[in-house]
Amino acid sequence: MVRGVFFEGFASEDVDLGEGVTSRVRVGGPEGGDVVVLLHGHPRTGATWWRVAGLLAAEGFRVVVPDLRGYGRSRAPRDEPAHAQASKRALAGDVVGVVDRVVGGDDARFAVVGHDRGALVAFRAAMDWPERVSKLVVMDGLPVIEHLERVNAEFAASWWHWWFMGQTDKPAETVIGRDPTWWYRVAGPEVMGREAWAELQDALRDPAVIHAMCEDYRAGLTIDREHDAADREAGRRVACPTLVLWSSGDDMYDLYGEPIPLWRPWVSPVVELLADAVDSGHHQAEEAPDEVAAKLTRFLR
């Protein structure tokens, strides 16, 4: 595994996106390089990407690494009806706003890479902003409606946290907040890196972060599904080349099998759709950063 220095050469800033949204963003790599945005999943922060980000920057990419709205050190607005403030449409808008501010201009094109919940945001960015997104990479993810339409006993047993965090009658925040360290039994600093692990631990002790993550799942079961359904009915598809990376040690392949048949209806037939496996567990960027960076570099070139 590459060692390196934590976000060496990257600048960090808090970007005010208005309406109560502030995005913590790290930016590195040469100015003028092709822009690639890396989006983390649950319950991580952008720090999960630090090794991959450094490798991509060394390859000449301009790398933008935000904390998703409400995660890490980013801040979410007040709750809205139907959990709209946590919709992937809203989070994708944050991504575009961040690129506008840290790269410059309001028409910069960028590739977007998303893992886990970040894959849902990346997909939504490609759907809603086709004139801005040049390439899409989804890692361990499907459009949320594809998950929900395939729910069975195996899915419910393996991914029960979707329903626990997604319901509102007995909010999960009460349980999680009593002992976040017990609930979020994540990999240690020897896997994540000392700085990334410490940053995550700070975030997971913040009640506002816990609430925002639950709202992410609530939106996934409601408004995000509605957005996907509307797109499918209208025949809208991703219009840019797309790469799907699945972890060999995760359970998504066991649940769904080959990813291409699942993604083909969502990607225009006139653009490239590729799939590849990464030899790792679920958190690919932490467990196999060299392999992930190499696959991303080949595709993004």
Side-chain angles (χ1 to χ4, degrees):
M1 179 181 293
V2 63
R3 301 302 174 184
V5 177
F6 184 73
F7 281 112
E8 184 176 17
F10 279 66
S12 178
E13 62 178 299
D14 293 320
V15 177
D16 185 353
L17 296 173
E19 300 182 352
V21 180
T22 303
S23 184
R24 170 59 62 90
V25 185
R26 293 179 169 99
V27 185
E31 293 187 15
D34 290 342
V35 179
V36 55
V37 181
L38 304 178
L39 304 177
H40 64 84
H42 171 267
R44 297 306 204 255
T45 74
T48 190
W49 290 106
W50 72 272
R51 297 184 180 98
V52 172
L55 292 168
L56 293 178
E59 290 289 338
F61 293 99
R62 186 68 168 166
V63 185
V64 179
V65 190
D67 290 349
L68 293 176
R69 176 184 292 198
Y71 283 74
R73 296 179 184 176
S74 292
R75 289 296 170 255
R78 293 181 179 179
D79 291 355
E80 298 176 5
H83 315 289
Q85 87 290 344
S87 72
K88 306 312 164 288
R89 175 159 286 160
L91 272 64
D94 291 348
V95 173
V96 175
V98 163
V99 171
D100 288 346
R101 287 160 176 78
V102 303
V103 175
D106 59 2
D107 59 356
R109 286 174 61 77
F110 59 91
V112 61
V113 180
H115 175 255
D116 187 80
R117 306 302 289 186
L120 303 181
V121 180
F123 165 68
R124 180 49 52 192
M127 291 289 279
D128 288 359
W129 301 86
E131 74 281 6
R132 300 294 300 276
V133 176
S134 59
K135 290 189 177 183
L136 169 65
V137 182
V138 288
M139 300 168 62
D140 290 332
L142 291 172
V144 73
I145 195 171
E146 295 289 349
H147 287 292
L148 296 178
E149 290 182 345
R150 289 172 171 76
V151 169
N152 56 19
E154 184 179 4
F155 182 103
S158 298
W159 293 16
W160 61 272
H161 65 284
W162 278 41
W163 324 114
F164 173 64
M165 297 177 71
Q167 56 77 46
T168 55
D169 288 341
K170 295 181 179 179
E173 291 93 325
T174 301
V175 175
I176 297 172
R178 287 176 180 170
D179 192 349
T181 302
W182 176 86
W183 174 260
Y184 292 109
R185 284 170 281 184
V186 300
E190 70 283 356
V191 174
M192 296 180 62
R194 178 174 54 83
E195 297 92 342
W197 182 84
E199 182 176 302
L200 179 60
Q201 295 306 308
D202 286 343
L204 296 181
R205 293 183 177 89
D206 184 344
V209 172
I210 294 173
H211 176 66
M213 292 192 292
C214 290
E215 283 291 296
D216 175 2
Y217 279 85
R218 290 165 188 149
L221 298 181
T222 55
I223 193 169
D224 293 333
R225 181 177 188 169
E226 294 170 7
H227 291 159
D228 285 358
D231 284 337
R232 184 165 63 186
E233 183 176 356
R236 298 179 65 217
R237 296 187 178 192
V238 172
C240 63
T242 299
L243 172 65
V244 183
L245 294 180
W246 282 23
S247 306
S248 62
D250 200 18
D251 56 1
M252 285 195 69
Y253 189 93
D254 295 336
L255 286 170
Y256 305 124
E258 292 290 341
I260 290 290
L262 301 176
W263 272 102
R264 184 75 270 176
W266 293 95
V267 178
S268 169
V270 302
V271 299
E272 186 176 47
L273 173 61
L274 302 172
D276 202 355
V278 175
D279 185 15
S280 78
H282 181 61
H283 293 283
Q284 301 177 31
E286 296 169 7
E287 300 175 39
D290 301 272
E291 183 180 357
V292 169
K295 292 180 187 297
L296 293 180
T297 297
R298 285 196 296 271
F299 177 69
L300 297 176
R301 286 263 185 253

